[in-house]
Amino acid sequence: MSTLQVSLAIIGGLVLAGVVAYNAWITRRNVPRTLRERGGEGVAAPAGPVAAPVFADTSPGGEGDGRIDPVLGVMPGDAPITAPPAEPATPQAVPVTLNHVVAAPEKRPGLDALIDVITPLALESEVSGDALLAAFPGTRRVGSKPFAVEGLSELNGEWETPRLGQRYRALQAGVQLANRAGALNDIEFSEFVVKAQAFADAVGAAPDFPDMRAEVARARELDTFASGHDAQLGFTLRARRAAWSPGYVTQHAARLGFVAGALPGRMVLPGSTAGQAPILSLAFDPQAAMAEDPEQSALRELALSLEVTHVPRSEQPFVRMREAATALAEAMDGVVTDDAGRALTTEALDRIGADLEGLYDALDSRDLSAGSAQARRLFS
């Protein structure tokens, strides 16, 4: 062979070796990081399949309305036990299962003159809760607004949804003035009148309806305020290099206090009080969570979100959201961005925090403090 042929053969071999090495690198880069890779960090893979992290939505209206985008973008005292040296053991990770679901929501809040149209239903004599429940309309909604009937309990003197075996001497019906679907309008108010009148006729009560024009105007004013003070914050955590498996994400999130909820691909950070809405939610591709072998599913991003109006200010939800995002990014080699993929700087996060304080003040001034029963109903 001539010198030229030898040179070409060598170059060809080098090119081929480079292509093979590149393909191997790409393949390795795209393989999702799993729990098994973290054995050196003291966490082993669970013995069985990891349950898909899921989200328990305890807010009255659920998620996904999206009407308003955020403006911000050994026990103590025990004697020590001496044991012979043993082989080091790797602690077993605790799988996140549906047994970790968030506590059930609190009892449904009653009618409130701040956010409801309330109509007294006068009774000539007491009526049983059984009769009231039998007369309830087929649906508890008027248009897009919740409709409710309450009786004044003889046991505790409070308004409540009628119950079997109880008796009531006073009733009231109501419909919500506004929610994320908009303000109560003339048609919905008329439907409320028809529904409340039919119920009153069935139980022998006389309704006293308020003026429609005044209530519709009040609904519009409340809706205007709500539209300007609704905030739903979202961060996106994107993988820098290697993708993640659902189990890998779940284990890291569980270390920060997140638990499983009720839908595939969702986890929540529970509030400090039973029945309170989740402080934060974490979501990723539900199809990956439900895959036959989730550990082979590749995730390149996940979403961290906060329903600002649903979580009490005292929980410091934005501070905890920021800390969780930073901790997950550092632990999983990711970067925190906005929905458009722009990295969120410290300065940008500080501005969002400052804007939130103003929002909380405005809500407090209207007796609609974030996390209150009224705020959760209005912003739903």
Side-chain angles (χ1 to χ4, degrees), residues 64-72 179-181 223-233 306-307 309 359 379:
D65 313 281
R67 185 182 65 168
I68 302 297
D69 289 329
V71 180
L72 327 166
N179 57 16
R180 280 178 174 158
D223 181 60
T224 298
F225 172 82
S227 297
H229 297 83
D230 196 357
Q232 300 160 288
L233 296 180
L306 162 64
E307 279 271 12
T309 54
L359 174 63
F379 299 100

Side-chain angles (χ1 to χ4, degrees), residues 142-145 175 182-193:
V142 170
S144 62
K145 311 299 184 295
V175 61
L184 184 77
N185 56 40
D186 292 3
I187 296 176
E188 290 175 323
F189 187 92
S190 298
E191 184 181 340
F192 164 66
V193 169

Side-chain angles (χ1 to χ4, degrees), residues 18-300:
V19 170
V20 171
Y22 176 78
N23 288 335
W25 178 77
I26 288 294
T27 300
R28 180 177 178 78
R29 182 177 183 272
N30 290 329
V31 171
R33 301 182 71 175
T34 67
L35 292 175
R36 298 177 185 85
E37 297 179 23
R38 305 183 63 239
E41 300 175 32
V43 179
V50 179
V54 291
F55 176 77
D57 189 354
T58 58
S59 66
E63 60 175 324
D65 313 281
R67 185 182 65 168
I68 302 297
D69 289 329
V71 180
L72 327 166
V74 163
M75 297 298 296
D78 287 350
I81 299 174
T82 304
E87 291 294 327
T90 302
Q92 292 295 311
V94 179
V96 179
T97 70
L98 291 178
N99 294 328
H100 297 80
V101 176
V102 190
E106 61 188 338
K107 183 180 70 175
R108 186 190 68 81
L111 293 170
D112 191 309
L114 183 66
I115 60 171
D116 293 299
V117 176
I118 299 179
T119 294
L121 305 177
L123 290 168
E124 293 184 0
S125 60
E126 68 177 18
V127 62
S128 70
D130 305 54
L132 295 177
L133 291 172
F136 262 51
T139 62
R140 306 288 180 87
R141 301 193 73 81
V142 170
S144 62
K145 311 299 184 295
F147 167 85
V149 174
E150 296 180 336
L152 188 61
S153 172
E154 292 185 342
L155 297 177
N156 55 27
E158 296 180 355
W159 292 99
E160 66 179 20
T161 299
R163 295 181 293 143
L164 294 174
Q166 302 299 311
R167 302 192 69 81
Y168 303 92
R169 291 184 177 276
L171 300 174
Q172 61 183 14
V175 61
Q176 195 163 312
L177 287 165
N179 57 16
R180 280 178 174 158
L184 184 77
N185 56 40
D186 292 3
I187 296 176
E188 290 175 323
F189 187 92
S190 298
E191 184 181 340
F192 164 66
V193 169
V194 171
K195 184 168 289 192
Q197 183 68 64
F199 175 82
D201 292 343
V203 300
D208 182 13
F209 295 105
D211 179 71
M212 181 180 73
R213 294 299 177 193
E215 294 301 306
V216 169
R218 194 160 68 97
R220 290 171 179 165
E221 189 277 332
L222 181 61
D223 181 60
T224 298
F225 172 82
S227 297
H229 297 83
D230 196 357
Q232 300 160 288
L233 296 180
F235 293 164
T236 300
L237 185 61
R238 304 178 191 276
R240 291 181 184 274
R241 286 179 286 273
W244 312 308
S245 71
Y248 187 76
V249 172
T250 297
Q251 203 66 34
H252 277 291
R255 283 185 161 190
L256 300 178
F258 284 83
V259 299
L263 297 174
R266 303 278 175 172
M267 298 184 75
V268 294
L269 183 65
S272 59
T273 304
Q276 179 183 308
I279 298 174
L280 303 172
S281 68
L282 180 152
F284 56 82
D285 183 6
Q287 297 300 320
M290 295 187 295
E292 185 174 343
D293 184 2
E295 289 299 283
Q296 296 304 311
S297 299
L299 299 171
R300 299 208 63 84

Side-chain angles (χ1 to χ4, degrees), residues 1-13:
M1 296 177 63
S2 66
T3 302
L4 177 60
Q5 290 174 318
V6 172
S7 300
L8 291 175
I10 294 174
I11 293 173

Side-chain angles (χ1 to χ4, degrees), residues 362-373:
L363 292 172
D364 291 344
S365 71
R366 287 289 297 256
D367 293 325
L368 291 168
S369 299
S372 65

